[in-house]
């Protein structure tokens, strides 16, 4: 009962069957491309590119700090190569995670590399959001498969099995 007058609660029931998994920044708008989906995609693309550019700007200051500290050309080259390689690996890992579920153990072991190469992950988000919400294709395939399996299970269970007539062979 919802109040002192004894009226029952009118809470909407959740729909039966599998529910879509929300995506970061998009929620479940990726299912039917509603509620500002295109604007969110544009926002993610612009935001990822802006943060990547700002990160490159900050890394430039870090590199200039190394030059001012006169650590030597070998260390400066090592830092540049490290960020380039980690960014390339992070881009590849992030890009592949949009089409297949990453292994949680591998994900945790790559956490440091992905942190160092965050610019690559940001660029992967930028490029993927130009065509779809990052991860939408994977989530859509999983959701449609789950819906089809659910629909098949539901249609098989129609009727009362106790009232079913037996066939004589």
């Amino acid at each position: 009962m919802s109040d002192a007058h004894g009226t029952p609660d009118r809470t909407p029931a959740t729909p039966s069957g599998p529910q879509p998994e929300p995506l970061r920044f998009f929620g479940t708008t990726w299912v039917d491309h509603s509620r500002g989906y295109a604007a969110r995609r544009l926002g993610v693309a612009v935001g990822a590119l802006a943060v990547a550019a700002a990160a490159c700007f900050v890394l430039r200051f870090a590199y200039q700090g190394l030059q001012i500290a006169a650590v030597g050309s070998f260390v400066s080259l090592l830092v540049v190569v490290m960020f380039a390689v980690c960014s390339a690996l992070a881009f590849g890992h992030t890009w592949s995670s949009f089409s297949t579920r990453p292994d949680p153990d591998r994900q945790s072991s790559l956490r440091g590399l992905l942190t160092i190469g965050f610019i690559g992950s940001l660029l992967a988000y930028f490029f993927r959001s130009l065509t779809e919400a990052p991860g939408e294709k994977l989530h859509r395939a999983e959701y449609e498969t789950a819906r089809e399996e659910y629909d098949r299970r539901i249609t098989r269970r129609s009727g009362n099995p106790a009232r079913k007539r037996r066939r004589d062979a």
Side-chain angles (χ1 to χ4, degrees), residues 19-20 32 55 67 78 81 84 86 90-91 94 98 112 122 131 133-134 149 154:
Q19 300 300 311
D32 54 1
Q67 286 182 331
L78 197 62
V81 169
C86 289
F91 179 90
T94 304
F98 295 144
L122 290 168
T131 58
E149 289 174 1
I154 294 301

Side-chain angles (χ1 to χ4, degrees), residues 47-121:
L49 190 60
V51 171
C56 287
F57 192 66
V58 169
L59 287 177
R60 180 174 176 243
F61 281 130
Y63 180 76
Q64 286 177 345
L66 289 174
Q67 286 182 331
I68 291 170
V71 293
S73 61
F74 177 71
V75 174
S76 296
L77 180 67
L78 197 62
V79 168
V80 169
V81 169
M82 176 198 61
F83 272 104
V85 168
C86 289
S87 291
L89 291 172
F91 179 90
H93 179 75
T94 304
W95 190 266
S96 69
S97 73
F98 295 144
S99 57
T100 59
R101 290 260 181 203
D103 179 33
D105 293 333
R106 184 170 184 261
Q107 183 84 9
S108 66
S109 68
L110 291 176
R111 185 169 294 139
L113 182 131
L114 295 174
T115 303
I116 293 170
F118 67 99
I119 293 174
S121 293

